Amino acid sequence: AQKVTQAQTEISVVEKEDVTLDCVYETRDTTYYLFWYKQPPSGELVFLIRRNSFDEQNEISGRYSWNFQKSTSSFNFTITASQVVDSAVYFCALSGLMEYGNKLVFGAGTILRVKS
Amino acid sequence: KAGVTQTPRYLIKTRGQQVTLSCSPISGHRSVSWYQQTPGQGLQFLFEYFSETQRNKGNFPGRFSGRQFSNSRSEMNVSTLELGDSALYLCASGSGSDEQYFGPGTRLTVT
């Protein structure tokens, strides 16, 4: 069975601080995909990134960066120089081979509060 | 390109009633998935439709059903509503082997 654990329920930081959101996953699949989504108060899930299990390269997109470590089954997300607009709930998710169906297993989410 | 649309956005129903929610995917996407989000259970997968066929199903009772039309639009139906069905229902659109894009959701309140 697939499982995603986001141990941090809530994180509060002051603007301009860096913050890392942790994600640990479990799966028996050899091919799988990992995702991060952002959910602002409006409720819509906003896609941030998708990585497949064969691509362990870290990725940076502006102030966002992701660290994928297969050895520890982790896919952590770092926001550099946080801003108030980053306040949201962040979800890490896992899926198997997508050609056989799109079923995302989500973690419980981490509430990020960025204070000015 | 227009995003995923869901209607209605808000809905209030009474226990025992039934409800139908609608989702229009991104043009060209053939996969539509439904998720239920509650404070207690988080985000849970309901089912996925691809080219009018149910491809995956989550662990929900038979009161939850869905279908997909030839234009890829999808509906989900919940019969005999219970208080615990109060949730945000999210629809996701995908091309079949790519990331999924979510709609704004339908917030269902059962009283």
Side-chain angles (χ1 to χ4, degrees):
Chain A
Q2 297 180 324
K3 184 179 178 182
V4 176
T5 301
Q6 294 180 256
Q8 304 151 308
T9 303
E10 185 169 339
I11 301 174
S12 287
V13 298
V14 177
E15 215 172 11
K16 297 184 183 176
E17 280 187 36
D18 298 348
V19 58
T20 295
L21 309 181
D22 298 333
C23 173
V24 174
Y25 63 92
E26 295 174 32
T27 180
R28 294 179 183 172
D29 294 340
T30 53
T31 301
Y32 53 88
Y33 297 84
L34 294 162
F35 302 78
W36 276 95
Y37 284 89
K38 172 183 179 179
Q39 187 175 43
S42 61
E44 182 171 347
L45 283 171
V46 178
F47 169 81
L48 295 177
I49 190 171
R50 180 188 77 152
R51 300 307 297 261
N52 72 52
S53 51
F54 297 108
D55 183 3
E56 286 192 71
Q57 275 192 333
N58 292 333
E59 180 151 341
I60 298 174
S61 176
R63 296 184 297 107
Y64 295 170
S65 63
W66 291 269
N67 179 255
F68 177 26
Q69 291 198 336
K70 226 168 168 178
S71 59
T72 56
S73 296
S74 65
F75 186 44
N76 297 336
F77 172 32
T78 297
I79 301 174
T80 303
S82 60
Q83 299 176 0
V84 173
V85 293
D86 295 328
S87 297
V89 184
Y90 290 85
F91 291 95
C92 179
L94 168 69
S95 78
L97 195 61
M98 301 193 80
E99 282 72 15
Y100 297 128
N102 293 313
K103 175 185 174 180
L104 291 170
V105 174
F106 284 89
T110 297
I111 301 170
L112 174 64
R113 301 190 197 279
V114 182
K115 302 174 186 176
S116 58
Chain B
K1 217 178 202 182
V4 180
T5 58
Q6 291 188 245
T7 57
R9 293 292 313 277
Y10 302 91
L11 205 49
I12 300 175
K13 289 285 188 179
T14 304
R15 263 183 307 177
Q17 287 185 316
Q18 74 164 14
V19 67
T20 298
L21 312 182
S22 179
C23 171
S24 291
I26 292 170
S27 177
H29 283 188
R30 294 159 64 190
S31 165
V32 174
S33 301
W34 290 89
Y35 293 82
Q36 180 197 64
Q37 185 177 24
T38 59
Q41 299 298 317
L43 277 156
Q44 294 186 290
F45 173 80
L46 279 156
F47 31 65
E48 183 212 1
Y49 287 87
F50 183 82
S51 293
E52 301 180 65
T53 301
Q54 188 179 85
R55 188 159 70 167
N56 273 303
K57 189 176 186 306
N59 295 324
F60 277 82
R63 300 185 298 106
F64 292 82
S65 63
R67 60 178 175 168
Q68 187 179 34
F69 302 96
S70 58
N71 62 358
S72 292
R73 189 177 70 86
S74 176
E75 288 182 347
M76 69 162 279
N77 183 277
V78 188
S79 62
T80 318
L81 283 165
E82 301 176 359
L83 295 178
D85 297 333
S86 294
L88 179 66
Y89 290 88
L90 291 160
C91 157
S93 160
S95 60
S97 59
D98 208 335
E99 57 262 22
Q100 297 180 70
Y101 296 92
F102 283 80
T106 294
R107 188 163 295 282
L108 171 65
T109 301
V110 182
T111 61

